[in-house]
């Protein structure tokens, strides 16, 4: 799934000389996930559990929060930068 794609991307980027410091997975807001999808709270918790011992992948919760404004567009670069500094 998504986590494996992030790990594969890391290996391929490193093989071409890039330094990869981490990856960020951000579950979507309920309003964007479609009918019948598990709640964002559930998806966030499952994602967090899947990477709790993984030092490479972190889970972003901002996009799934009500404060996100249900934005369909790209992540706010300031939020990505903030996450990398944590």
């Amino acid at each position: 799934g998504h986590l494996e794609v992030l790990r594969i991307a890391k290996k391929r980027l490193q093989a071409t000389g890039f330094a990869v410091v981490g990856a960020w997975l951000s579950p979507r807001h309920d309003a964007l996930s479609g009918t019948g999808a598990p709640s964002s709270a559930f998806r966030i918790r499952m994602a967090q559990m899947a990477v709790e011992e993984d030092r490479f992948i972190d889970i972003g919760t901002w996009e799934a929060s009500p404060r996100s404004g249900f934005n369909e567009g790209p992540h706010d670069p300031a939020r990505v930068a903030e996450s990398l500094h944590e």
Side-chain angles (χ1 to χ4, degrees):
H2 291 81
L3 300 176
E4 188 59 25
V5 168
L6 293 172
R7 292 179 185 116
I8 291 169
K10 175 186 178 184
K11 288 179 186 176
R12 293 192 74 183
L13 287 165
Q14 288 175 327
T16 61
F18 286 92
V20 183
V21 297
W24 195 36
L25 182 70
S26 181
R28 299 181 84 180
H29 193 281
D30 289 337
L32 300 173
S33 296
T35 305
S39 71
S40 58
F42 177 82
R43 291 190 314 275
I44 288 168
R45 184 63 189 126
M46 292 300 102
Q48 289 170 332
M49 289 173 64
V51 300
E52 64 188 359
E53 295 184 21
D54 190 323
R55 296 186 46 81
F56 171 64
I57 301 172
D58 196 12
I59 304 302
T61 59
W62 180 83
E63 184 180 357
S65 75
R67 297 175 301 163
S68 73
F70 317 120
N71 185 3
E72 181 86 54
H75 293 294
D76 177 359
R79 288 290 304 152
V80 174
E82 181 182 315
S83 177
L84 290 173
H85 290 293
E86 291 176 355

